[in-house]
Short mmCIF file of all heavy atoms in Angstrom, two decimals:
data_model
loop_
_atom_site.label_atom_id
_atom_site.label_comp_id
_atom_site.label_asym_id
_atom_site.label_seq_id
_atom_site.Cartn_x
_atom_site.Cartn_y
_atom_site.Cartn_z
N MET A 1 -2.90 13.73 22.14
CA MET A 1 -3.17 12.56 21.34
C MET A 1 -4.52 11.95 21.71
O MET A 1 -5.24 11.47 20.85
CB MET A 1 -2.03 11.55 21.55
CG MET A 1 -2.09 10.41 20.62
SD MET A 1 -1.78 11.00 18.97
CE MET A 1 -1.70 9.52 18.09
N THR A 2 -4.85 11.98 22.98
CA THR A 2 -6.14 11.44 23.43
C THR A 2 -7.29 12.26 22.87
O THR A 2 -8.31 11.70 22.47
CB THR A 2 -6.19 11.42 24.97
OG1 THR A 2 -5.06 10.71 25.46
CG2 THR A 2 -7.45 10.75 25.46
N ASP A 3 -7.11 13.58 22.83
CA ASP A 3 -8.17 14.44 22.27
C ASP A 3 -8.38 14.15 20.79
O ASP A 3 -9.52 14.16 20.31
CB ASP A 3 -7.80 15.91 22.46
CG ASP A 3 -7.81 16.33 23.92
OD1 ASP A 3 -8.52 15.67 24.71
OD2 ASP A 3 -7.11 17.30 24.25
N LEU A 4 -7.30 13.92 20.06
CA LEU A 4 -7.42 13.60 18.64
C LEU A 4 -8.17 12.30 18.42
O LEU A 4 -9.07 12.22 17.58
CB LEU A 4 -6.03 13.52 18.00
CG LEU A 4 -6.01 13.14 16.53
CD1 LEU A 4 -6.69 14.20 15.69
CD2 LEU A 4 -4.59 12.92 16.08
N LEU A 5 -7.83 11.27 19.17
CA LEU A 5 -8.53 9.99 19.05
C LEU A 5 -9.99 10.12 19.45
O LEU A 5 -10.87 9.51 18.84
CB LEU A 5 -7.84 8.92 19.89
CG LEU A 5 -6.46 8.48 19.39
CD1 LEU A 5 -5.82 7.51 20.37
CD2 LEU A 5 -6.55 7.88 18.02
N THR A 6 -10.27 10.93 20.46
CA THR A 6 -11.65 11.14 20.89
C THR A 6 -12.47 11.83 19.80
O THR A 6 -13.60 11.43 19.52
CB THR A 6 -11.68 11.98 22.17
OG1 THR A 6 -10.89 11.35 23.16
CG2 THR A 6 -13.09 12.14 22.69
N THR A 7 -11.89 12.83 19.14
CA THR A 7 -12.64 13.52 18.09
C THR A 7 -12.80 12.64 16.85
O THR A 7 -13.80 12.74 16.15
CB THR A 7 -11.95 14.84 17.69
OG1 THR A 7 -10.60 14.58 17.31
CG2 THR A 7 -12.00 15.84 18.81
N LEU A 8 -11.82 11.77 16.58
CA LEU A 8 -11.96 10.85 15.45
C LEU A 8 -13.08 9.84 15.69
O LEU A 8 -13.86 9.55 14.80
CB LEU A 8 -10.65 10.12 15.19
CG LEU A 8 -9.56 10.89 14.46
CD1 LEU A 8 -8.28 10.09 14.43
CD2 LEU A 8 -9.99 11.24 13.07
N VAL A 9 -13.15 9.33 16.90
CA VAL A 9 -14.15 8.31 17.23
C VAL A 9 -15.54 8.92 17.36
O VAL A 9 -16.53 8.33 16.92
CB VAL A 9 -13.75 7.57 18.53
CG1 VAL A 9 -14.85 6.65 19.01
CG2 VAL A 9 -12.48 6.78 18.30
N SER A 10 -15.62 10.12 17.92
CA SER A 10 -16.93 10.73 18.15
C SER A 10 -17.57 11.26 16.87
O SER A 10 -18.77 11.50 16.84
CB SER A 10 -16.82 11.86 19.16
OG SER A 10 -16.10 12.94 18.61
N GLY A 11 -16.78 11.44 15.81
CA GLY A 11 -17.34 11.94 14.56
C GLY A 11 -17.30 13.44 14.43
O GLY A 11 -17.88 14.00 13.51
N ASP A 12 -16.64 14.12 15.35
CA ASP A 12 -16.49 15.56 15.26
C ASP A 12 -15.49 15.87 14.15
O ASP A 12 -14.36 15.40 14.16
CB ASP A 12 -15.99 16.11 16.59
CG ASP A 12 -15.89 17.61 16.59
OD1 ASP A 12 -16.66 18.25 15.85
OD2 ASP A 12 -15.05 18.15 17.33
N ILE A 13 -15.92 16.64 13.17
CA ILE A 13 -15.07 16.92 12.02
C ILE A 13 -14.57 18.36 12.11
O ILE A 13 -15.34 19.30 12.09
CB ILE A 13 -15.83 16.72 10.70
CG1 ILE A 13 -16.27 15.27 10.58
CG2 ILE A 13 -14.96 17.10 9.51
CD1 ILE A 13 -17.15 15.01 9.39
N ASN A 14 -13.26 18.48 12.24
CA ASN A 14 -12.60 19.77 12.14
C ASN A 14 -11.49 19.64 11.11
O ASN A 14 -11.42 18.65 10.39
CB ASN A 14 -12.09 20.24 13.51
CG ASN A 14 -11.20 19.21 14.18
OD1 ASN A 14 -10.54 18.44 13.51
ND2 ASN A 14 -11.18 19.23 15.51
N LEU A 15 -10.63 20.63 11.01
CA LEU A 15 -9.61 20.62 9.96
C LEU A 15 -8.64 19.45 10.14
O LEU A 15 -8.31 18.75 9.17
CB LEU A 15 -8.85 21.95 9.95
CG LEU A 15 -7.80 22.11 8.87
CD1 LEU A 15 -8.45 22.04 7.50
CD2 LEU A 15 -7.05 23.40 9.04
N LEU A 16 -8.20 19.21 11.35
CA LEU A 16 -7.22 18.14 11.60
C LEU A 16 -7.82 16.75 11.35
O LEU A 16 -7.21 15.92 10.67
CB LEU A 16 -6.68 18.24 13.02
CG LEU A 16 -5.59 17.24 13.39
CD1 LEU A 16 -4.37 17.43 12.50
CD2 LEU A 16 -5.22 17.40 14.84
N THR A 17 -9.01 16.51 11.86
CA THR A 17 -9.62 15.19 11.65
C THR A 17 -9.99 14.98 10.19
O THR A 17 -9.91 13.87 9.68
CB THR A 17 -10.86 15.00 12.54
OG1 THR A 17 -11.79 16.04 12.28
CG2 THR A 17 -10.48 14.98 14.00
N GLY A 18 -10.39 16.06 9.51
CA GLY A 18 -10.68 15.95 8.08
C GLY A 18 -9.45 15.56 7.28
O GLY A 18 -9.51 14.72 6.39
N LEU A 19 -8.31 16.15 7.61
CA LEU A 19 -7.07 15.81 6.92
C LEU A 19 -6.64 14.37 7.22
O LEU A 19 -6.15 13.66 6.34
CB LEU A 19 -5.96 16.78 7.32
CG LEU A 19 -6.06 18.18 6.74
CD1 LEU A 19 -4.99 19.08 7.31
CD2 LEU A 19 -5.97 18.14 5.24
N ILE A 20 -6.84 13.94 8.45
CA ILE A 20 -6.48 12.56 8.81
C ILE A 20 -7.37 11.57 8.06
O ILE A 20 -6.87 10.57 7.51
CB ILE A 20 -6.57 12.36 10.33
CG1 ILE A 20 -5.42 13.12 11.01
CG2 ILE A 20 -6.50 10.88 10.70
CD1 ILE A 20 -5.48 13.14 12.50
N TRP A 21 -8.68 11.83 8.00
CA TRP A 21 -9.57 10.94 7.24
C TRP A 21 -9.23 10.94 5.76
O TRP A 21 -9.32 9.92 5.09
CB TRP A 21 -11.03 11.32 7.45
CG TRP A 21 -11.58 10.90 8.78
CD1 TRP A 21 -12.10 11.71 9.73
CD2 TRP A 21 -11.65 9.57 9.30
NE1 TRP A 21 -12.49 10.96 10.81
CE2 TRP A 21 -12.23 9.65 10.58
CE3 TRP A 21 -11.27 8.33 8.82
CZ2 TRP A 21 -12.44 8.53 11.37
CZ3 TRP A 21 -11.48 7.21 9.62
CH2 TRP A 21 -12.06 7.32 10.87
N LEU A 22 -8.82 12.09 5.23
CA LEU A 22 -8.43 12.18 3.83
C LEU A 22 -7.17 11.36 3.55
O LEU A 22 -7.08 10.66 2.55
CB LEU A 22 -8.22 13.63 3.43
CG LEU A 22 -7.91 13.91 1.96
CD1 LEU A 22 -9.10 13.50 1.10
CD2 LEU A 22 -7.60 15.37 1.76
N ILE A 23 -6.21 11.41 4.45
CA ILE A 23 -4.98 10.63 4.29
C ILE A 23 -5.27 9.14 4.39
O ILE A 23 -4.74 8.33 3.60
CB ILE A 23 -3.93 11.07 5.34
CG1 ILE A 23 -3.43 12.48 5.00
CG2 ILE A 23 -2.77 10.09 5.42
CD1 ILE A 23 -2.60 13.11 6.08
N ILE A 24 -6.13 8.74 5.33
CA ILE A 24 -6.49 7.33 5.46
C ILE A 24 -7.21 6.84 4.20
O ILE A 24 -6.91 5.76 3.68
CB ILE A 24 -7.36 7.12 6.72
CG1 ILE A 24 -6.52 7.32 7.99
CG2 ILE A 24 -8.00 5.73 6.73
CD1 ILE A 24 -7.34 7.38 9.26
N ALA A 25 -8.15 7.63 3.69
CA ALA A 25 -8.88 7.23 2.49
C ALA A 25 -7.97 7.16 1.27
O ALA A 25 -8.12 6.26 0.44
CB ALA A 25 -10.02 8.21 2.23
N THR A 26 -7.03 8.07 1.17
CA THR A 26 -6.10 8.05 0.04
C THR A 26 -5.21 6.82 0.10
O THR A 26 -4.98 6.17 -0.92
CB THR A 26 -5.25 9.33 0.03
OG1 THR A 26 -6.11 10.47 0.00
CG2 THR A 26 -4.33 9.36 -1.16
N GLY A 27 -4.72 6.50 1.27
CA GLY A 27 -3.88 5.29 1.41
C GLY A 27 -4.63 4.02 1.07
O GLY A 27 -4.11 3.15 0.37
N LEU A 28 -5.85 3.92 1.56
CA LEU A 28 -6.65 2.74 1.24
C LEU A 28 -7.01 2.66 -0.24
O LEU A 28 -7.06 1.57 -0.82
CB LEU A 28 -7.92 2.72 2.09
CG LEU A 28 -7.71 2.42 3.58
CD1 LEU A 28 -9.03 2.57 4.33
CD2 LEU A 28 -7.13 1.05 3.79
N SER A 29 -7.22 3.82 -0.88
CA SER A 29 -7.54 3.79 -2.30
C SER A 29 -6.33 3.40 -3.14
O SER A 29 -6.48 2.74 -4.17
CB SER A 29 -8.08 5.14 -2.75
OG SER A 29 -7.05 6.11 -2.80
N VAL A 30 -5.13 3.79 -2.71
CA VAL A 30 -3.92 3.38 -3.42
C VAL A 30 -3.76 1.86 -3.36
O VAL A 30 -3.48 1.21 -4.37
CB VAL A 30 -2.68 4.09 -2.85
CG1 VAL A 30 -1.40 3.46 -3.36
CG2 VAL A 30 -2.70 5.56 -3.20
N VAL A 31 -3.97 1.30 -2.18
CA VAL A 31 -3.86 -0.16 -2.03
C VAL A 31 -4.95 -0.86 -2.84
O VAL A 31 -4.67 -1.83 -3.56
CB VAL A 31 -3.95 -0.55 -0.53
CG1 VAL A 31 -4.05 -2.05 -0.36
CG2 VAL A 31 -2.76 -0.01 0.22
N GLY A 32 -6.17 -0.38 -2.77
CA GLY A 32 -7.25 -0.98 -3.54
C GLY A 32 -7.06 -0.84 -5.04
O GLY A 32 -7.36 -1.76 -5.80
N GLY A 33 -6.54 0.30 -5.48
CA GLY A 33 -6.27 0.49 -6.90
C GLY A 33 -5.17 -0.42 -7.40
O GLY A 33 -5.23 -0.95 -8.52
N ALA A 34 -4.15 -0.63 -6.57
CA ALA A 34 -3.08 -1.54 -6.96
C ALA A 34 -3.59 -2.97 -7.08
O ALA A 34 -3.27 -3.69 -8.04
CB ALA A 34 -1.94 -1.47 -5.95
N ILE A 35 -4.42 -3.39 -6.14
CA ILE A 35 -4.99 -4.73 -6.20
C ILE A 35 -5.90 -4.86 -7.41
O ILE A 35 -5.87 -5.87 -8.13
CB ILE A 35 -5.73 -5.06 -4.89
CG1 ILE A 35 -4.74 -5.18 -3.73
CG2 ILE A 35 -6.54 -6.34 -5.02
CD1 ILE A 35 -5.38 -5.26 -2.38
N GLY A 36 -6.71 -3.85 -7.66
CA GLY A 36 -7.59 -3.88 -8.83
C GLY A 36 -6.81 -3.90 -10.14
O GLY A 36 -7.18 -4.60 -11.08
N GLY A 37 -5.72 -3.15 -10.20
CA GLY A 37 -4.89 -3.16 -11.40
C GLY A 37 -4.26 -4.51 -11.65
O GLY A 37 -4.18 -4.98 -12.79
N ILE A 38 -3.83 -5.17 -10.58
CA ILE A 38 -3.24 -6.51 -10.71
C ILE A 38 -4.29 -7.49 -11.20
O ILE A 38 -4.04 -8.32 -12.08
CB ILE A 38 -2.63 -6.97 -9.38
CG1 ILE A 38 -1.36 -6.17 -9.09
CG2 ILE A 38 -2.33 -8.45 -9.39
CD1 ILE A 38 -0.81 -6.40 -7.71
N LEU A 39 -5.50 -7.42 -10.64
CA LEU A 39 -6.55 -8.35 -11.03
C LEU A 39 -7.03 -8.13 -12.46
O LEU A 39 -7.34 -9.08 -13.17
CB LEU A 39 -7.74 -8.25 -10.07
CG LEU A 39 -7.49 -8.76 -8.65
CD1 LEU A 39 -8.70 -8.47 -7.77
CD2 LEU A 39 -7.15 -10.22 -8.64
N LEU A 40 -7.12 -6.87 -12.87
CA LEU A 40 -7.67 -6.57 -14.19
C LEU A 40 -6.65 -6.72 -15.32
O LEU A 40 -6.97 -7.23 -16.38
CB LEU A 40 -8.24 -5.15 -14.22
CG LEU A 40 -9.54 -4.95 -13.45
CD1 LEU A 40 -9.92 -3.48 -13.46
CD2 LEU A 40 -10.64 -5.78 -14.04
N ALA A 41 -5.44 -6.23 -15.10
CA ALA A 41 -4.49 -6.18 -16.22
C ALA A 41 -3.13 -6.75 -15.88
O ALA A 41 -2.15 -6.44 -16.54
CB ALA A 41 -4.35 -4.74 -16.69
N GLY A 42 -3.05 -7.58 -14.86
CA GLY A 42 -1.76 -8.09 -14.44
C GLY A 42 -1.06 -8.93 -15.48
O GLY A 42 0.14 -8.80 -15.70
N GLU A 43 -1.78 -9.80 -16.14
CA GLU A 43 -1.15 -10.68 -17.12
C GLU A 43 -0.78 -9.94 -18.40
O GLU A 43 0.24 -10.24 -19.02
CB GLU A 43 -2.08 -11.85 -17.44
CG GLU A 43 -2.27 -12.80 -16.29
CD GLU A 43 -3.15 -13.98 -16.65
OE1 GLU A 43 -3.42 -14.17 -17.85
OE2 GLU A 43 -3.59 -14.67 -15.72
N GLU A 44 -1.59 -8.97 -18.80
CA GLU A 44 -1.34 -8.27 -20.05
C GLU A 44 -0.21 -7.25 -19.94
O GLU A 44 0.63 -7.13 -20.83
CB GLU A 44 -2.60 -7.55 -20.54
CG GLU A 44 -3.70 -8.48 -21.01
CD GLU A 44 -4.56 -8.99 -19.87
OE1 GLU A 44 -4.41 -8.46 -18.74
OE2 GLU A 44 -5.35 -9.90 -20.08
N LEU A 45 -0.19 -6.49 -18.86
CA LEU A 45 0.79 -5.41 -18.71
C LEU A 45 1.97 -5.78 -17.82
O LEU A 45 2.97 -5.06 -17.81
CB LEU A 45 0.12 -4.17 -18.11
CG LEU A 45 -0.99 -3.53 -18.93
CD1 LEU A 45 -1.60 -2.38 -18.15
CD2 LEU A 45 -0.45 -3.04 -20.25
N GLY A 46 1.85 -6.83 -17.09
CA GLY A 46 2.86 -7.15 -16.07
C GLY A 46 2.32 -6.71 -14.73
O GLY A 46 1.67 -5.67 -14.61
N TYR A 47 2.57 -7.50 -13.71
CA TYR A 47 1.94 -7.26 -12.41
C TYR A 47 2.43 -5.97 -11.76
O TYR A 47 1.64 -5.21 -11.18
CB TYR A 47 2.19 -8.46 -11.50
CG TYR A 47 1.42 -9.68 -11.95
CD1 TYR A 47 2.08 -10.75 -12.55
CD2 TYR A 47 0.05 -9.75 -11.82
CE1 TYR A 47 1.39 -11.87 -12.98
CE2 TYR A 47 -0.66 -10.85 -12.25
CZ TYR A 47 0.01 -11.91 -12.83
OH TYR A 47 -0.69 -12.99 -13.25
N LYS A 48 3.71 -5.68 -11.83
CA LYS A 48 4.22 -4.47 -11.19
C LYS A 48 3.70 -3.21 -11.87
O LYS A 48 3.32 -2.24 -11.21
CB LYS A 48 5.74 -4.48 -11.20
CG LYS A 48 6.35 -5.47 -10.24
CD LYS A 48 7.85 -5.38 -10.24
CE LYS A 48 8.45 -6.40 -9.31
NZ LYS A 48 9.91 -6.34 -9.31
N PHE A 49 3.71 -3.20 -13.20
CA PHE A 49 3.23 -2.03 -13.93
C PHE A 49 1.73 -1.82 -13.72
O PHE A 49 1.28 -0.68 -13.53
CB PHE A 49 3.56 -2.16 -15.42
CG PHE A 49 3.21 -0.95 -16.23
CD1 PHE A 49 3.86 0.25 -15.99
CD2 PHE A 49 2.24 -1.01 -17.20
CE1 PHE A 49 3.54 1.37 -16.73
CE2 PHE A 49 1.91 0.11 -17.95
CZ PHE A 49 2.57 1.31 -17.71
N ALA A 50 0.96 -2.90 -13.73
CA ALA A 50 -0.49 -2.78 -13.50
C ALA A 50 -0.78 -2.28 -12.09
O ALA A 50 -1.68 -1.46 -11.90
CB ALA A 50 -1.16 -4.13 -13.74
N ALA A 51 -0.01 -2.72 -11.11
CA ALA A 51 -0.19 -2.25 -9.74
C ALA A 51 0.17 -0.77 -9.62
O ALA A 51 -0.51 -0.01 -8.93
CB ALA A 51 0.65 -3.08 -8.78
N THR A 52 1.22 -0.36 -10.32
CA THR A 52 1.62 1.04 -10.28
C THR A 52 0.57 1.94 -10.90
O THR A 52 0.19 2.97 -10.32
CB THR A 52 2.96 1.23 -11.02
OG1 THR A 52 3.94 0.39 -10.41
CG2 THR A 52 3.42 2.67 -10.95
N ILE A 53 0.08 1.56 -12.06
CA ILE A 53 -0.94 2.37 -12.73
C ILE A 53 -2.24 2.40 -11.92
O ILE A 53 -2.86 3.45 -11.75
CB ILE A 53 -1.20 1.83 -14.15
CG1 ILE A 53 0.06 1.99 -15.01
CG2 ILE A 53 -2.38 2.53 -14.81
CD1 ILE A 53 0.50 3.42 -15.20
N GLY A 54 -2.65 1.26 -11.39
CA GLY A 54 -3.86 1.22 -10.56
C GLY A 54 -3.72 2.04 -9.30
O GLY A 54 -4.64 2.74 -8.89
N GLY A 55 -2.54 1.98 -8.67
CA GLY A 55 -2.31 2.76 -7.46
C GLY A 55 -2.25 4.25 -7.71
O GLY A 55 -2.57 5.05 -6.84
N LEU A 56 -1.85 4.65 -8.91
CA LEU A 56 -1.79 6.08 -9.22
C LEU A 56 -3.14 6.64 -9.62
O LEU A 56 -3.45 7.80 -9.33
CB LEU A 56 -0.78 6.33 -10.35
CG LEU A 56 0.69 6.16 -9.97
CD1 LEU A 56 1.56 6.31 -11.20
CD2 LEU A 56 1.09 7.17 -8.92
N PHE A 57 -3.96 5.86 -10.31
CA PHE A 57 -5.23 6.37 -10.80
C PHE A 57 -6.37 6.27 -9.77
O PHE A 57 -7.36 6.98 -9.89
CB PHE A 57 -5.65 5.66 -12.08
CG PHE A 57 -4.92 6.15 -13.29
CD1 PHE A 57 -4.30 5.27 -14.15
CD2 PHE A 57 -4.85 7.50 -13.57
CE1 PHE A 57 -3.63 5.71 -15.26
CE2 PHE A 57 -4.18 7.97 -14.68
CZ PHE A 57 -3.57 7.07 -15.53
N ALA A 58 -6.27 5.41 -8.80
CA ALA A 58 -7.35 5.24 -7.83
C ALA A 58 -7.61 6.49 -6.99
O ALA A 58 -8.78 6.86 -6.81
CB ALA A 58 -7.07 4.04 -6.94
N PRO A 59 -6.59 7.19 -6.49
CA PRO A 59 -6.89 8.39 -5.69
C PRO A 59 -7.51 9.53 -6.50
O PRO A 59 -8.08 10.44 -5.92
CB PRO A 59 -5.52 8.82 -5.16
CG PRO A 59 -4.69 7.60 -5.19
CD PRO A 59 -5.17 6.81 -6.36
N ALA A 60 -7.42 9.47 -7.82
CA ALA A 60 -8.02 10.54 -8.63
C ALA A 60 -9.53 10.60 -8.45
O ALA A 60 -10.13 11.67 -8.60
CB ALA A 60 -7.68 10.31 -10.10
N GLY A 61 -10.16 9.50 -8.13
CA GLY A 61 -11.59 9.50 -7.88
C GLY A 61 -11.95 9.60 -6.42
O GLY A 61 -13.02 10.09 -6.06
N VAL A 62 -11.05 9.17 -5.55
CA VAL A 62 -11.36 9.12 -4.12
C VAL A 62 -11.17 10.48 -3.46
O VAL A 62 -11.99 10.89 -2.63
CB VAL A 62 -10.50 8.05 -3.43
CG1 VAL A 62 -10.61 8.12 -1.93
CG2 VAL A 62 -10.89 6.68 -3.92
N ILE A 63 -10.13 11.20 -3.81
CA ILE A 63 -9.83 12.47 -3.13
C ILE A 63 -10.95 13.49 -3.32
O ILE A 63 -11.42 14.07 -2.33
CB ILE A 63 -8.46 13.01 -3.56
CG1 ILE A 63 -7.36 12.10 -3.00
CG2 ILE A 63 -8.24 14.43 -3.06
CD1 ILE A 63 -5.97 12.44 -3.48
N PRO A 64 -11.44 13.76 -4.53
CA PRO A 64 -12.56 14.72 -4.65
C PRO A 64 -13.82 14.26 -3.93
O PRO A 64 -14.53 15.07 -3.32
CB PRO A 64 -12.80 14.84 -6.15
CG PRO A 64 -11.56 14.36 -6.79
CD PRO A 64 -10.97 13.36 -5.86
N ALA A 65 -14.11 12.97 -3.98
CA ALA A 65 -15.31 12.46 -3.30
C ALA A 65 -15.17 12.59 -1.79
O ALA A 65 -16.14 12.93 -1.09
CB ALA A 65 -15.54 11.01 -3.68
N MET A 66 -13.99 12.35 -1.26
CA MET A 66 -13.76 12.46 0.18
C MET A 66 -13.88 13.92 0.63
O MET A 66 -14.47 14.20 1.67
CB MET A 66 -12.36 11.97 0.48
CG MET A 66 -12.10 10.85 1.43
SD MET A 66 -13.34 10.26 2.46
CE MET A 66 -12.62 10.66 4.00
N VAL A 67 -13.30 14.83 -0.13
CA VAL A 67 -13.37 16.25 0.23
C VAL A 67 -14.82 16.73 0.20
O VAL A 67 -15.28 17.41 1.12
CB VAL A 67 -12.49 17.09 -0.71
CG1 VAL A 67 -12.75 18.58 -0.54
CG2 VAL A 67 -11.02 16.78 -0.47
N LEU A 68 -15.56 16.34 -0.83
CA LEU A 68 -16.97 16.72 -0.92
C LEU A 68 -17.79 16.13 0.23
O LEU A 68 -18.62 16.81 0.84
CB LEU A 68 -17.55 16.29 -2.26
CG LEU A 68 -19.01 16.64 -2.53
CD1 LEU A 68 -19.19 18.15 -2.56
CD2 LEU A 68 -19.46 16.01 -3.81
N GLY A 69 -17.54 14.87 0.54
CA GLY A 69 -18.25 14.23 1.65
C GLY A 69 -17.94 14.87 2.99
O GLY A 69 -18.85 15.09 3.81
N LEU A 70 -16.68 15.20 3.24
CA LEU A 70 -16.33 15.85 4.50
C LEU A 70 -16.91 17.26 4.59
O LEU A 70 -17.35 17.68 5.66
CB LEU A 70 -14.80 15.90 4.66
CG LEU A 70 -14.14 14.57 4.98
CD1 LEU A 70 -12.63 14.69 4.91
CD2 LEU A 70 -14.56 14.07 6.35
N LEU A 71 -16.96 17.97 3.47
CA LEU A 71 -17.58 19.29 3.49
C LEU A 71 -19.08 19.19 3.76
O LEU A 71 -19.63 20.00 4.52
CB LEU A 71 -17.33 20.01 2.16
CG LEU A 71 -15.93 20.56 1.95
CD1 LEU A 71 -15.78 21.11 0.55
CD2 LEU A 71 -15.60 21.61 2.98
N LEU A 72 -19.74 18.22 3.16
CA LEU A 72 -21.17 18.03 3.43
C LEU A 72 -21.42 17.67 4.88
O LEU A 72 -22.37 18.17 5.49
CB LEU A 72 -21.74 16.95 2.51
CG LEU A 72 -22.03 17.37 1.08
CD1 LEU A 72 -22.47 16.15 0.26
CD2 LEU A 72 -23.11 18.42 1.05
N LEU A 73 -20.59 16.80 5.44
CA LEU A 73 -20.77 16.42 6.83
C LEU A 73 -20.48 17.58 7.78
O LEU A 73 -21.07 17.67 8.85
CB LEU A 73 -19.88 15.23 7.18
CG LEU A 73 -20.32 13.89 6.62
CD1 LEU A 73 -19.27 12.84 6.90
CD2 LEU A 73 -21.64 13.48 7.22
N ASN A 74 -19.57 18.45 7.37
CA ASN A 74 -19.22 19.56 8.23
C ASN A 74 -20.28 20.66 8.20
O ASN A 74 -20.64 21.22 9.24
CB ASN A 74 -17.86 20.13 7.81
CG ASN A 74 -17.29 21.06 8.85
OD1 ASN A 74 -17.66 21.02 10.01
ND2 ASN A 74 -16.39 21.92 8.44
N PHE A 75 -20.81 20.98 7.03
CA PHE A 75 -21.74 22.09 6.90
C PHE A 75 -23.20 21.66 6.99
O PHE A 75 -24.07 22.51 7.17
CB PHE A 75 -21.49 22.85 5.61
CG PHE A 75 -20.18 23.57 5.62
CD1 PHE A 75 -19.19 23.26 4.69
CD2 PHE A 75 -19.90 24.54 6.55
CE1 PHE A 75 -17.98 23.91 4.69
CE2 PHE A 75 -18.69 25.21 6.58
CZ PHE A 75 -17.72 24.89 5.64
N CYS A 76 -23.49 20.39 6.83
CA CYS A 76 -24.85 19.88 6.97
C CYS A 76 -24.84 18.73 7.98
O CYS A 76 -24.90 17.56 7.60
CB CYS A 76 -25.37 19.37 5.61
SG CYS A 76 -25.34 20.60 4.32
N PRO A 77 -24.78 19.02 9.26
CA PRO A 77 -24.62 17.96 10.26
C PRO A 77 -25.80 17.01 10.34
O PRO A 77 -25.65 15.88 10.79
CB PRO A 77 -24.42 18.71 11.57
CG PRO A 77 -24.96 20.07 11.34
CD PRO A 77 -24.83 20.34 9.87
N LYS A 78 -26.98 17.41 9.90
CA LYS A 78 -28.14 16.52 9.96
C LYS A 78 -28.31 15.72 8.69
O LYS A 78 -29.27 14.99 8.53
CB LYS A 78 -29.40 17.33 10.23
CG LYS A 78 -29.40 17.96 11.59
CD LYS A 78 -30.67 18.70 11.85
CE LYS A 78 -30.61 19.35 13.23
NZ LYS A 78 -31.82 20.06 13.53
N PHE A 79 -27.39 15.84 7.76
CA PHE A 79 -27.44 15.15 6.46
C PHE A 79 -27.16 13.72 6.57
O PHE A 79 -26.66 12.97 7.09
CB PHE A 79 -26.46 15.82 5.50
CG PHE A 79 -26.49 15.23 4.13
CD1 PHE A 79 -27.60 15.34 3.33
CD2 PHE A 79 -25.39 14.55 3.62
CE1 PHE A 79 -27.62 14.81 2.06
CE2 PHE A 79 -25.40 14.02 2.36
CZ PHE A 79 -26.53 14.16 1.58
#
């Protein structure tokens, strides 16, 4: 566990740390999408439905961007 935390903090990207960062980014995007859905369409669609739709659509943009970013950081370390 200490080695995992050390590699996360130091910025060393391998398969395990990449998956952990992807899971963290996906979770944060779901929360942000739900909040955005509530703010944008809460009154029109209902707060629960707007949060559900926002939470489902937010990771659709975050997951490909995160994978591309992690691949760039892994293969181009001076980038």
Side-chain angles (χ1 to χ4, degrees):
M1 189 67 173
T2 306
D3 293 335
L4 177 64
L5 291 175
T6 304
T7 56
L8 282 173
V9 172
S10 69
D12 183 28
I13 298 174
N14 54 29
L15 183 62
L16 184 61
T17 57
L19 287 174
I20 289 173
W21 284 121
L22 184 64
I23 290 169
I24 290 170
T26 304
L28 289 174
S29 73
V30 167
V31 172
I35 292 170
I38 289 171
L39 291 175
L40 288 175
E43 292 182 13
E44 291 84 10
L45 297 176
Y47 291 107
K48 288 183 182 179
F49 185 64
T52 302
I53 295 298
L56 289 175
F57 282 129
V62 171
I63 291 174
M66 238 348 243
V67 169
L68 181 63
L70 287 171
L71 286 174
L72 282 175
L73 286 173
N74 194 21
F75 292 119
C76 303
K78 294 182 181 181
F79 183 66

